[in-house]
Amino acid sequence: MKTNILKRSLSLLLALMCLVGMLTVSVTSTAAVESDVAATAEASNAEPITNEYKIVTPVPLGSSIKSITQAARLDTLQGKTIALVGGSFSASVTHAVLRDMLEEEFGCKTYYMEEIGKGGTYNPLNPSDKAKEFQQKLKDYGVDAVISGNCGCGICTVKETGNAIAAEYIGIPAVVVGAETFIPQIKSTGYNRGVPVIRTAAYPGAFANDETAVQQQKARDILYDQVVTGLTTQIEQAEIDEIAGAATSANYNDTIFTGSYQRVQEFYEVSEMSDGLPVVPPTNEKVEYYLQFTNMGAEEIVNMKDGEIIGVKPAYREITAYQVAVNAIMSGCPAEYMPICMAITRCFANGNFYKSLDSTHGWTPYVLISGPLARQLGISYGDGMINEEANKLIGRFISLAMLNLAGYKIKENRMGTFGYMQPFCFAEDEQTAIDIGWDPYHVNNGFELNDSVITCGSTLTWGNPVTVGTTDSEKAMQLLAWDVTEKQQNGLGNTNPVESRTIWMTKDVAETIAKGYNTRDTLEDALIETARRPLWMRTYAHYWANTGSKIHMNTTFDEHYEDIKSGASTENVGADKVATTAVPQWLTGVVPYDTIDTTQTINENTDALKRQKVVATGFVVTGGDKTSEFQVMPGGDCVSYEAYLPSTTKWNNLMSGLGYNNLSSYNLSN
């Protein structure tokens, strides 16, 4: 904790020094910065100032969202109308206590939970109809203040904070209740969506660990005073500055620091622009060279669609090609990787890919590179692929881009309980796919064979492949179906049983399965029918492993089983697709029945999804030919974009100078 405070203090100090012109290319300014950095790096104080680098910022300066001027906080709560909204993590318990205390002490009129409803995640650039209806209700009911909660996980924090943001945008003061761990995420979520200060009430510990009586006691003794203070204490500039910090430069290509290699590392670290690993110092001259390998100018905004800026959560920055290049350089990517880095950045702006990356469940982003560009650059699809140099460098770019371009910070708005793996990259053995009669992955999803395509996805698991010890295609499919039902979202699969998956299979497995399933679509159809999970298992996971709702306190297991079977929505993901079916092959002999209730675990890839370049279930031939294995990667949706190159002539000339053959020499044919 002390280290983080020191880093933030140094970061703010360095930023302020930049703004007043104290960080220039002079030796004097460098020495001034070094004297502050020395507090965290005494061991390097004696390093001579050699090989100085004039570095630039990896963080875009522009934002798609402009900060609002918040309404004054209330002078008193006496007789005010208060809406208590949300519903996550035992809010029904703590909100009830807060409601009763507000009514007793101040004579407040209160609207509770479903009386007002909730707006959910709030995007100021494009508010949902649900959010607009929520705001209108607040107005219609004459609400003076909003209390939203409870925040106890990465995704629910964004939703519950969204209620407060929606209120603040129409001039209604709000307070968000959250577990202590999630207070930084609440504040940064508000700031990134244009609300300078979101007031919070911090709940000690974890909601789910406390019995109802303890939750009630903490609401009375700890939360209540914070709520009252948050709604009645005026917002001061110092509070705004504490959350917002300060910009580190005035122009996108300004030199923000000058120093040796070691000093550069320290500067980026204390400025929270590094993921903790060494970075390549990015200079303006080097960035200009990298931009030659793109089809965009330095100041052109990458996250655009149909002439409009598409917000990239959580910071909603205007991401320029220049800053993409800075992060590519810092990651160690060579200049010829720029089309990949640019396409990855465009993927970031697609909500289908980004929707889960702030969760406590730790989705790890990955990139699949398809087409001739993958072959030209030598992106590996062989055994050990993600550890090959090219693959690792692109994964490192994703790590830095998540931090600097998107604005994700560990423990602030990336809330994985056990942290995150490094992002990774791989390619497909497209020739094998063609040889067995399958379209390569990107062709199956609407692109031409020789398009160079970047697909971004995310996964919740790693390194648990299944060996296929048979050449029987149906048995191989059944093994795949069994593993699909085991590889669930959120561990045991307590939320959405049909969450997206990408399925890797080595050449040997693909050849075995293709003997019985001559296209990816026929394989998908078989898995939709075969990969079914017993409803009892699904209900058990949702009943006992759903940490936010404590379903077992409100209904019996059998009642919940029947609710899911009859089509009740679970965790806002819609109804399960339940049917009475034959017992799955792998449970024959275990279940003493011929038929049981099961739920579907794979969704169909519809034509509408393919037109949007979004995939629910993807099959990729990869991993080489040394083993007979497949691996199911459950996680978020995948989204694909074509990698845009400079003109063919310019690209080939640039690449020829680096020793590459022309791109067309890497084309394939059916």
Side-chain angles (χ1 to χ4, degrees):
M1 180 63 71
K2 290 181 180 179
T3 301
N4 287 337
I5 293 172
L6 180 58
K7 282 184 178 181
R8 290 181 183 273
S9 298
L10 289 173
S11 176
L12 181 57
L13 177 60
L14 291 169
L16 292 172
M17 293 170 73
C18 292
L19 287 174
V20 299
M22 295 181 69
L23 289 181
T24 67
V25 299
S26 69
V27 174
T28 300
S29 63
T30 302
V33 174
E34 289 172 359
S35 66
D36 293 296
V37 172
T40 57
E42 292 183 9
S44 65
N45 282 347
E47 180 190 350
I49 304 301
T50 59
N51 299 322
E52 287 192 336
Y53 298 91
K54 300 176 183 179
I55 59 171
V56 292
T57 180
V59 179
L61 303 181
S63 175
S64 306
I65 297 175
K66 306 306 177 186
S67 293
I68 65 170
T69 299
Q70 291 176 262
R73 304 300 94 172
L74 303 174
D75 293 330
T76 178
L77 297 184
Q78 193 67 45
K80 300 299 183 182
T81 300
I82 312 292
L84 299 100
V85 301
S88 301
F89 284 86
S90 302
S92 60
V93 176
T94 57
H95 275 14
V97 173
L98 298 175
R99 173 197 61 193
D100 293 345
M101 294 180 73
L102 289 167
E103 290 177 354
E104 180 179 349
E105 181 175 358
F106 296 106
C108 291
K109 179 179 181 180
T110 59
Y111 291 104
Y112 184 66
M113 307 287 276
E114 295 305 323
E115 292 179 284
I116 292 286
K118 49 192 173 184
T121 301
Y122 191 82
N123 179 357
L125 299 176
N126 186 23
S128 66
D129 290 341
K130 183 178 179 181
K132 292 176 182 177
E133 291 170 6
F134 174 71
Q135 289 175 316
Q136 189 59 50
K137 267 196 171 182
L138 294 177
K139 294 177 183 178
D140 292 344
Y141 283 56
V143 170
D144 297 304
V146 167
I147 302 168
S148 183
N150 288 334
C151 301
C153 75
I155 295 176
C156 68
T157 295
V158 178
K159 291 191 295 185
E160 303 301 4
T161 305
N163 298 323
I165 295 170
E168 295 281 359
Y169 262 84
I170 57 173
I172 299 176
V175 168
V176 180
V177 179
E180 289 173 319
T181 305
F182 295 92
I183 297 302
Q185 186 185 9
I186 295 169
K187 293 181 177 180
S188 66
T189 298
Y191 175 74
N192 289 328
R193 286 163 173 76
V195 181
V197 175
I198 291 286
R199 289 280 173 71
T200 61
Y203 182 96
F207 294 100
N209 289 344
D210 292 338
E211 297 296 329
T212 299
V214 176
Q215 293 174 338
Q216 292 170 331
Q217 176 263 321
K218 288 184 177 180
R220 284 192 302 270
D221 298 345
I222 300 173
L223 295 180
Y224 180 70
D225 285 345
Q226 295 181 70
V227 168
V228 173
T229 300
L231 292 177
T232 58
T233 303
Q234 297 305 315
I235 296 171
E236 302 291 343
Q237 187 62 43
E239 189 176 3
I240 296 173
D241 292 342
E242 180 184 359
I243 296 172
T248 57
S249 65
N251 299 305
Y252 73 94
N253 60 351
D254 280 353
T255 295
I256 61 169
F257 182 73
T258 300
S260 66
Y261 178 85
Q262 181 61 35
R263 297 297 193 242
V264 167
Q265 309 305 316
E266 293 163 355
F267 174 84
Y268 279 134
E269 180 67 14
V270 299
S271 300
E272 297 187 304
M273 297 177 183
S274 168
D275 57 4
L277 298 175
V279 298
V280 176
T283 63
N284 188 55
E285 294 76 15
K286 196 162 190 175
V287 173
E288 294 297 335
Y289 171 67
Y290 271 55
L291 289 172
Q292 294 181 65
F293 290 79
T294 76
N295 68 333
M296 298 184 72
E299 295 185 75
E300 288 189 70
I301 297 174
V302 178
N303 49 316
M304 297 282 290
K305 183 178 181 181
D306 299 329
E308 294 185 1
I309 299 173
I310 306 299
V312 175
K313 295 194 312 180
Y316 291 92
R317 292 168 176 150
E318 296 174 354
I319 301 173
T320 61
Y322 189 94
Q323 265 68 47
V324 175
V326 174
N327 283 275
I329 292 167
M330 291 174 65
S331 69
C333 285
E336 59 266 32
Y337 290 12
M338 274 298 292
I340 296 173
C341 297
M342 297 282 279
I344 290 171
T345 304
R346 284 194 289 274
C347 288
F348 278 178
N350 190 299
N352 286 301
F353 166 55
Y354 238 49
K355 65 182 180 181
S356 303
L357 297 182
D358 45 15
S359 170
T360 54
H361 293 282
W363 273 267
T364 296
Y366 63 79
V367 174
L368 166 62
I369 304 177
S370 304
L373 185 61
R375 293 181 286 279
Q376 185 182 39
L377 297 178
I379 309 302
S380 177
Y381 58 77
D383 56 300
M385 57 196 183
I386 73 166
N387 297 113
E388 296 291 345
E389 181 181 8
N391 300 39
K392 287 194 295 185
L393 290 174
I394 294 168
R396 178 75 192 291
F397 168 79
I398 300 172
S399 178
L400 290 174
M402 291 278 289
L403 172 67
N404 292 321
L405 301 181
Y408 271 121
K409 296 182 180 180
I410 303 297
K411 299 182 183 179
E412 180 176 306
N413 43 34
R414 286 200 81 193
M415 302 303 294
T417 300
F418 300 110
Y420 297 86
M421 301 185 298
Q422 280 292 314
F424 55 90
C425 167
F426 62 103
E428 181 175 22
D429 184 354
E430 295 173 33
Q431 187 60 61
T432 290
I434 293 170
D435 291 344
I436 65 176
W438 288 4
D439 286 331
Y441 175 92
H442 67 294
V443 176
N444 199 61
N445 294 295
F447 292 93
E448 298 298 322
L449 176 61
N450 290 308
D451 289 342
S452 292
V453 177
I454 311 303
T455 298
C456 286
S458 55
T459 181
L460 284 162
T461 191
W462 174 253
N464 190 13
V466 174
T467 299
V468 176
T470 176
T471 57
D472 184 312
S473 60
E474 183 177 3
K475 288 300 178 189
M477 182 277 295
Q478 289 173 357
L479 288 172
L480 182 54
W482 181 10
D483 201 45
V484 164
T485 67
E486 297 290 331
K487 301 289 175 58
Q488 292 281 317
Q489 177 188 225
N490 300 354
L492 296 173
N494 62 60
T495 54
N496 188 353
V498 291
E499 186 65 25
S500 300
R501 299 171 181 84
T502 299
I503 298 171
W504 298 355
M505 55 187 72
T506 61
K507 179 179 180 179
D508 189 69
V509 172
E511 289 173 341
T512 293
I513 291 178
K515 290 187 297 185
Y517 305 92
N518 60 358
T519 67
R520 281 178 165 88
D521 288 344
T522 57
L523 173 59
E524 179 184 81
D525 291 342
L527 289 174
I528 289 172
E529 181 178 347
T530 308
R532 300 192 65 88
R533 192 180 194 199
L535 183 59
W536 191 93
M537 295 174 66
R538 157 72 170 134
T539 304
Y540 193 93
H542 193 251
Y543 192 77
W544 292 110
N546 188 335
T547 57
S549 300
K550 291 200 171 182
I551 297 168
H552 64 279
M553 298 178 64
N554 302 308
T555 187
T556 68
F557 180 90
D558 288 344
E559 288 171 341
H560 194 51
Y561 181 102
E562 292 301 326
D563 284 344
I564 295 177
K565 184 176 179 178
S566 64
S569 171
T570 55
E571 303 307 302
N572 300 314
V573 297
D576 279 41
K577 299 178 180 180
V578 178
T580 300
T581 67
V583 173
Q585 287 288 310
W586 51 92
L587 292 177
T588 301
V590 177
V591 177
Y593 308 105
D594 294 327
T595 61
I596 57 172
D597 294 331
T598 60
T599 187
Q600 186 172 313
T601 62
I602 285 188
N603 258 344
E604 180 181 3
N605 287 321
T606 64
D607 289 339
L609 283 178
K610 292 178 181 180
R611 286 195 297 273
Q612 298 173 42
K613 313 301 185 188
V614 176
V615 180
T617 303
F619 306 98
V620 182
V621 183
T622 193
D625 57 3
K626 291 183 170 59
T627 60
S628 179
E629 293 182 331
F630 65 78
Q631 184 161 304
V632 176
M633 315 291 286
D637 295 323
C638 296
V639 58
S640 299
Y641 286 92
E642 190 170 355
Y644 296 126
L645 308 177
S647 68
T648 301
T649 300
K650 181 177 179 180
W651 179 259
N652 285 333
N653 287 339
L654 287 167
M655 296 298 278
S656 175
L658 297 174
Y660 290 91
N661 294 328
N662 282 354
L663 185 64
S664 61
S665 66
Y666 297 94
N667 286 351
L668 298 178
S669 58
N670 290 319

